[in-house]
């Protein structure tokens, strides 16, 4: 049973001492503190005031197997009793860490047979940054240092992660990006492809990558990095054929190809990996979130054999963290993957719940505020517009409608995310078709309620 927390005191302490992530602290202070989430079960979270909220974001893109999984609790407890911690420095390793590395390699079909562990997706992308630059130096091409990424991409919140990402608001805090990262246009057809066919827009986006490589000089380019589907950027699903054409350009000029699977991995798109859904093959693959369904912090970077063969010629790879390969987190991740496989959650997402989400979201297309709905697997978005014909935004600028509609959804019992002028969702892979229908019904109700406020802007 949930504990009897003093919610008023927790909110007071939250304002007085706690600095929440990715938050406006002054706004939280004005609100009298954060919403305190006290417990959860299945696809539902409950706050300290007793409000039950359908979790349309799977925590933060991560709780794939849902809340309340006793098997994961037991896996953690058993490993803590046996060996609560040991590092992977000093030429040491632990049983669950080694076993998990082998399991992840098998899930890639052994195309990426080597795995380096960390505690977050940001750290996994830092590892990519270090590995790729070291790889090219060992290859005798030390000038190959430049990464090419996309505007509006998200690759983490460390200095390297923010730099690899394309979030301009994040760049503004800390004088980022660091040197050696270039950005090109994103494959956001609804927002940037008006007046073009999808094929022409795809070709323009791919041409932008090739143009950037030629501008920087192929001899200076190390890698192209991208999320198969841009998650925090607003569930930007690239047009069909985009990724194979990107891969062709990347291979043409000899760059390494990095698929950031932090969100898309472990079944989110209806296949085990997002790059499988999108039709390309990476050389390095950072992952996190669904690896443990968020039950413990763990991430990994899977690496192709030809890359590791070069890295092995360089002696010590002087990179890693105290918690790299944490045995308890690895034990939980192994059990989490076992649940995903045993319950057929990847296949279910691809054949049942993913198609149902697409069909349910499509029913919103008749709403006066909806410019587009889109989804792949259990990733979805609803674009909010002031004018369906011109795709004009409320308030004369992008970024007003999403947060307002999100707040309405939460008040009505659904946790979704507002990104610019869109609502995005990423429910647990265990969600039922009935819960998907409930989710979409709440979105419609919330759009109805927020419409007068938006029209008044």
């Amino acid at each position: 049973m949930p504990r009897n927390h003093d919610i008023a005191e927790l909110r007071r302490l939250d304002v007085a001492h706690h600095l929440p992530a990715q938050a406006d602290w002054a706004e939280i202070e004005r609100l009298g503190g954060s919403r305190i989430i006290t417990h959860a079960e299945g696809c539902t979270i409950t706050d300290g005031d007793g409000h039950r909220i359908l979790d349309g974001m799977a925590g933060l893109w991560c709780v794939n197997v849902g809340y309340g999984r006793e098997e994961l609790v037991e896996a953690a407890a058993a490993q803590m009793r046996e060996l609560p911690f040991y590092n992977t420095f000093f030429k040491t390793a632990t049983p669950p860490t080694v076993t998990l590395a082998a399991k992840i390699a098998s899930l890639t079909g052994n195309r990426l047979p080597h795995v380096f562990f960390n505690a977050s997706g940001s750290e996994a992308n830092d590892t990519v940054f270090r590995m790729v630059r070291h790889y090219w130096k060992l290859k005798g091409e030390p000038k190959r240092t430049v990464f090419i990424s996309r505007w509006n991409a998200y690759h983490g919140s460390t200095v390297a992660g923010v730099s690899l990402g394309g979030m301009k608001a994040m760049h503004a805090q800390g004088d980022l990006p660091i040197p050696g990262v270039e950005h090109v246009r994103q494959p956001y057809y609804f927002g940037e492809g008006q007046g073009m066919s999808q094929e022409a827009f795809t070709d323009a986006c791919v041409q932008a990558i090739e143009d950037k490589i030629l501008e920087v000089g192929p001899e200076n380019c190390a890698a192209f990095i991208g999320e198969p589907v841009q998650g925090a950027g607003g569930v930007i699903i690239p047009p069909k054929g985009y990724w194979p054409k990107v891969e062709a350009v990347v291979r043409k000029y000899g760059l390494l190809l990095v698929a950031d699977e932090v969100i898309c991995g472990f079944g989110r798109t209806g296949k085990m990996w997002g790059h499988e859904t999108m039709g390309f093959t990476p050389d390095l693959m950072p992952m996190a979130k669904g690896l443990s369904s968020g039950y413990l912090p763990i991430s990994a970077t899977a690496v192709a054999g030809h890359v590791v063969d070069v890295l092995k010629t360089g002696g010590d790879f002087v990179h890693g963290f105290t918690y790299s390969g944490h045995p308890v987190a690895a034990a939980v991740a192994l059990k989490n993957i076992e649940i995903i496989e045993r319950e057929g959650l990847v296949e279910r997402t691809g054949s049942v719940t993913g198609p149902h989400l697409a069909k349910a979201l499509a029913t919103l297309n008749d709403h006066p505020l909806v410019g587009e709905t889109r989804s792949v697997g259990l990733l979805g978005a609803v674009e909010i517009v002031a004018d369906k014909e011109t795709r004009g935004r409320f308030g004369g600028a992008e970024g007003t409608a999403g947060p307002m509609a999100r707040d309405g959804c939460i008040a009505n019992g659904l946790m979704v995310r507002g990104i610019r002028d869109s609502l995005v969702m990423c429910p647990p892979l265990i969600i039922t078709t009935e819960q998907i229908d409930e989710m979409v019904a709440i979105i419609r109700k919330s759009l109805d309620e927020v419409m007068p406020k938006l029209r008044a802007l």
Side-chain angles (χ1 to χ4, degrees):
M1 293 295 293
R3 288 174 286 175
N4 187 23
H5 298 284
D6 185 339
I7 301 302
E9 176 63 4
L10 286 171
R11 296 190 80 197
R12 186 191 70 79
L13 293 172
D14 180 59
V15 170
H17 303 292
H18 179 220
L19 298 177
Q22 301 273 0
D24 181 335
W25 300 328
E27 181 185 12
I28 288 178
E29 185 172 3
R30 288 193 298 272
L31 293 171
S34 302
R35 180 188 299 271
I36 307 297
I37 304 299
T38 57
H39 55 287
E41 188 70 26
C43 295
T44 303
I45 57 176
T46 304
D47 69 17
D49 296 318
H51 298 131
R52 289 171 53 82
I53 303 169
L54 181 60
D55 188 6
M57 282 306 301
L60 195 59
W61 319 88
C62 59
V63 188
N64 286 7
V65 301
Y67 299 95
R69 291 284 191 160
E70 284 299 319
E71 287 180 83
L72 300 185
V73 177
E74 291 165 5
Q79 184 59 46
M80 283 185 180
R81 292 188 186 101
E82 182 176 287
L83 179 68
F85 171 76
Y86 205 70
N87 63 72
T88 57
F89 293 36
F90 315 145
K91 302 177 184 177
T92 63
T94 66
T97 305
V98 172
T99 306
L100 179 59
K103 181 62 179 178
I104 291 171
S106 74
L107 293 175
T108 73
N110 283 308
R111 295 185 304 275
L112 303 171
H114 307 284
V115 181
F116 190 102
F117 289 109
N118 298 297
S120 72
S122 298
E123 292 170 4
N125 277 313
D126 272 36
T127 297
V128 166
F129 195 84
R130 294 281 297 278
M131 276 187 176
V132 167
R133 284 189 163 184
H134 191 44
Y135 165 86
W136 285 114
K137 188 172 183 179
L138 292 172
K139 286 270 286 184
E141 298 184 63
K143 292 198 300 180
R144 279 191 179 258
T145 61
V146 176
F147 280 76
I148 296 175
S149 180
R150 299 175 295 191
W151 292 116
N152 206 33
Y154 187 85
H155 297 296
S157 203
T158 56
V159 169
V162 171
S163 297
L164 289 171
M167 301 288 186
K168 294 180 180 179
M170 298 183 79
H171 290 172
Q173 295 180 352
D175 298 319
L176 300 171
I178 57 178
V181 183
E182 298 286 337
H183 296 87
V184 297
R185 70 185 302 177
Q186 60 182 330
Y188 179 23
Y189 182 68
F190 181 83
E192 300 180 13
Q194 200 161 8
M196 303 174 70
S197 69
Q198 287 204 20
E199 184 177 4
F201 177 72
T202 296
D203 289 343
C205 290
V206 175
Q207 187 62 51
I209 296 170
E210 184 165 21
D211 290 346
K212 181 61 70 173
I213 292 171
L214 293 173
E215 175 191 327
V216 172
E219 71 280 6
N220 299 315
C221 291
F224 179 84
I225 183 170
E227 305 151 86
V229 176
Q230 287 166 246
V235 183
I236 306 302
I237 303 168
K240 185 177 180 180
Y242 168 84
W243 268 111
K245 290 181 178 180
V246 169
E247 182 173 15
V249 168
V250 168
R251 301 303 181 199
K252 176 181 177 180
Y253 295 102
L255 283 69
L256 293 175
L257 182 56
V258 184
D260 183 338
E261 295 271 5
V262 169
I263 286 174
C264 293
F266 300 96
R268 179 55 57 186
T269 64
K271 292 185 181 293
M272 181 57 71
W273 307 112
H275 69 264
E276 293 177 314
T277 300
M278 295 298 158
F280 70 103
T281 303
D283 301 298
L284 296 96
M285 184 172 73
M287 66 193 77
K289 296 190 184 292
L291 176 55
S292 72
S293 285
Y295 276 64
L296 280 178
I298 185 171
S299 67
T301 303
V303 192
H306 70 90
V307 175
V308 172
D309 287 345
V310 172
L311 294 174
K312 285 179 179 177
T313 69
D316 285 353
F317 181 52
V318 287
H319 171 72
F321 304 90
T322 301
Y323 301 126
S324 294
H326 194 290
V328 180
V332 170
L334 278 165
K335 181 60 67 172
N336 175 68
I337 293 170
E338 179 186 315
I339 291 170
I340 289 172
E341 292 185 321
R342 185 180 72 229
E343 298 185 3
L345 295 180
V346 178
E347 296 78 10
R348 182 171 176 269
T349 299
S351 63
V352 180
T353 50
H356 190 85
L357 176 63
K359 188 180 297 185
L361 285 175
T363 66
L364 296 173
N365 286 326
D366 66 351
H367 195 281
L369 297 186
V370 174
E372 176 186 73
T373 61
R374 56 179 178 268
S375 69
V376 57
L378 285 174
L379 282 169
V382 178
E383 289 276 358
I384 303 171
V385 294
D387 187 301
K388 292 167 81 83
E389 290 296 322
T390 66
R391 302 181 186 179
R393 306 294 185 170
F394 285 101
E398 191 175 47
T400 302
M404 289 177 66
R406 170 209 62 203
D407 290 348
C409 287
I410 295 171
N412 287 320
L414 172 66
M415 183 62 71
V416 288
R417 190 168 176 178
I419 297 178
R420 299 185 312 280
D421 284 322
S422 65
L423 292 173
V424 303
M425 62 216 69
C426 172
L429 302 190
I430 64 165
I431 195 168
T432 65
T433 55
E434 291 79 12
Q435 287 172 317
I436 290 172
D437 292 340
E438 179 187 355
M439 186 167 65
V440 172
I442 292 173
I443 291 173
R444 180 177 286 276
K445 177 184 178 183
S446 302
L447 290 174
D448 287 343
E449 291 173 350
V450 80
M451 185 158 50
K453 300 174 187 175
L454 289 171
R455 297 289 189 206
L457 290 176

